Structure formats: structure tokens, C-alpha cells
Amino acid sequence: MRRRLHSGSGGGGGGGKASRTLSHKDLKEMKDKVEQEEERENRDSAGFSCHKLQESLLSSASGYSNYRGILNWCVVMLILSNARLFLENLIKYGILVDPIQIVSLFLKDPYSWPALCLVIASNVFVIVTLQIERRMATGSLSEGFGLLLHTITLITILTFPAAVVLIVRSITPVGAVLALMWYTILLLKLYSYKDVNKWSRELCKAKVKTLSRSLSAPGLKENGEAVQLVVVYPGNLTYKDMYYFLFAPTLCYELNFPRSPRIRKRFLLRRLLEMLFFIQLQVGLIQQWIVPAIQNSMKPFRDMDYSRMIERLLKLAVPNHLIWLIFFYWFFHSSMNFLAELLQFGDREFYRDWWNSETVTYFWKNWNIPVHKWCSRHFYKPMLKKGVNKRMAQAGVFLASAFFHEYLVSIPLKMFRLWAFMGMMAQVPLAWLVGRFLSGNYGNAAVWLSLIIGQPVAVLMYVHDYYILNYEGSL
């Protein structure tokens, strides 16, 4: 090899001194490379290079992150373990799914529909709110008197359905929950409607005496054609605009919502099929899995048998959490996307990656985006502008959330135990503890644990008290 390189270098004798110097350097580098390659080949042929400096795959220093196979294994094990539990349930109780019983959850008397009547009556508050805003826009009502009327309307929205539920005996707990949920959504929507119109009036420099839709202006242009009208205050104060907002999957009002260009029929059909399938799956799992587990938990709670109580709690945790996950997908993905597609509502961010939450605060900010946007826009930021510090403002948000959770549980059940209220307020110290002492995967595990264990505790507390009050003799 050395003779071959020398003979190759001697073939260019016509070059200068500089080129001969470069040729010697190149020759030396080539010579070193050849020797290294020959040495590597000799070692490989002898079988010496079977080891090298490296970390084990499961070590954090290895940088390995492809655990897809382990994730698939976890899914398979989860399916097998729950299949065994479901088979055990069928063998023990038989088929408990009963469509007639589902209807009885909503109606006691087929000729009496108190929950539906409550929902229809809510149109009165919608019309009153719109008329107040119209009068304020034309100057017929002052800001102070208009604010007073809005306050009375919002308080009535909160108290009127609660009084009806507590007085009328023919309304079922499930029907009452649905009616109160609608009134709570209406309360938040009309509060946002009031605030945005107030901000719009403050931006207007001149009093407008007419309420014409001609106050709309051409919007963004594409190839010289207007693609969407931009509504200008007070041109938004119409019934069409108000009812579009009421049905839109958002709690925050805007004069100009982002709109999708068309309705995708296949997308709409897929979401509709998902809605029908998952609602039936939820009801079937509740009847077949949750109800027997709760009924079997009553005696240990009555006898204060703590070991059996913990066993029943853990037995209820898995199906309860599974149903909660199905509900999340059914409501926040299938139902809200169906409604948004039908109304061509463009903002489809109804949730973020809450499943990656490493803190409790991150979870509450990302699992329910419509509520988070409303709290941030109409509650949290106004408190900060008034000089309230961040911790107190966050505690105020949790306090309001705790109130509405208790409102939606205690009033339909017609008993006041404050379990939901205390559960929500417990999120404040829990958020501090997880954020202070845990992070990364440990924080994420703590968030999941609070979701899996926390909900069954509240469910058992309320169901136990409800059964004691209403069915103590049958127990």
C-alpha cells in the first residue's frame, strides 16, 4: 500500500513547490486513514468490536423515548382486566339495561314536562336582556339603571329555576339537572352579552339613535369580494344575532364570530353517529356497572365499615372514570363539533391537552376551554384590574366554580351537603401541593389520581345521603 501511494504521488512532477508540499500532507492523511481502516477491519474480522460505550434503553441518560409498544401493552391489559370485570358483572347481575327506566329518569308523569317548560320559559329572560340593551343603545336607559335591570335579570335567572325545582314535586333529579345546567349556561352567556355591549358602547364616540342592520360593514375581502360582513355596534342588537349566540358552542360573546366557509356533511354525519353511540354506551354502563356498585356500597357506608368502604370506592373508581372519559369525548368533541359545524362556528378549540397536565391548575385551564375563557375574560382579569392579587383572584374563580357545582347537584337532589363545594375548594390547596412538591411525570400522575379517586368519593357521598333520605326502608 505504501508503494502504491508513493508511485501515485510521483506521477505529477510538473507542479511547483507549494503543490509538492500539499501533496505530502495529503499523502500523510491518506496513509493514516488507510492504516485506521486496516486496523478496524482486522478487529472486526477477529470479532473484537461487539461492545461500545452506551446506556440501557430504560435509563434516562439514553434519551430513548419510543415506548409505543409498552403503551399498547397497557391498553391490552386494561381491556382484558375490564373485560373480566364486565363478564363478572354479567354473570352476577344479568343484563340490567332497561330503556323504559331511562325514560322514567326524565319524566314521572308522561303528561307533565316541568323541566322542558322551564327551558322554554327562559326565553323571557333572553327577550328582556335584548330589550334592555336596545334601550341603552338609543339612550332611553342610563348606564346605571340599565346595570340595575341586568343585575335583577341575572339574579332571577339563578333563583327562579331553583325555586321551581324545590317546589314542584313532579320534576325528576335528572330533569332538574338538565334544566339548571341550561339556566347556568344562559346566565354566563347573558353576562358576557352585557359586558361586551357595554365595552362596545364605551368605544362608540357618538350616540346612535337607530338600530339598523345597515350598520354592518363589508369584512375581509378575497379576490375583490366581501366574504363576511363585519357587524358594528349597535347593529348586533337583533334577535337573529342573540339566538345565534345562545346556540353557539361558546360562553363568550363577540360581535363577529369566526365562521367556517361551509358545512361539511360527512363530518356532521360522523359526529352525529358518535353522539348517538356514546350516549347509549354511557347510559348502558351506568345501568349495568355503576348502579350495582353504588347499591352494594350503601351497607358499608351505613355500618361505617372502613375497609369495605375503601374496597367499594376502588371498585367504583374504574367504571366511573371510564364513563367520565366517554362523557368528555361525547360532549366536548362530538356534540360541540356537531353544533359548531351546523352553525358554521369557526373556533373549534373546546379543549386542550389536559391529559398531559403536570399541575392541577393546568388541568382546569385546559379541559374545558369555553368555561376557562369566560372565567378569564369576565371574572379573573377584571379582578386583577381592580387590584386583587393573582392568588386571591384564582381562589375567587375556584369559589365561583364550587358554588355552581353545588348548585347543580344539591338543588336537583333537594338536599344540601356541600360535598361538591368542598371538593372544588380542595383543588386550591391541592394545586399548591402538586405545584410545590411534584413535577413532570409525578405531577401528571397526581392529577390523574385526583380525577380517578376524587369523583367516586363525591358520588358515593351524595348517593348515600340521597338513599338514606328517600329509600332508607328499602335498604
Side-chain angles (χ1 to χ4, degrees), residues 109-140:
D109 183 359
Y111 299 101
S112 177
W113 300 62
L116 181 61
C117 293
L118 262 180
V119 173
I120 295 174
S122 65
N123 286 282
V124 174
F125 303 103
V126 176
I127 296 171
V128 168
T129 300
L130 180 59
Q131 293 303 320
I132 293 172
E133 285 299 328
R134 285 187 164 192
R135 301 296 181 272
M136 294 176 72
T138 57
S140 302

Side-chain angles (χ1 to χ4, degrees), residues 242-262:
M242 168 67 92
Y243 277 94
Y244 178 86
F245 170 54
L246 291 182
F247 286 104
T250 180
L251 298 176
C252 294
Y253 177 69
E254 289 183 9
L255 273 69
N256 299 279
F257 290 108
R259 305 293 292 273
S260 56
R262 63 184 181 86

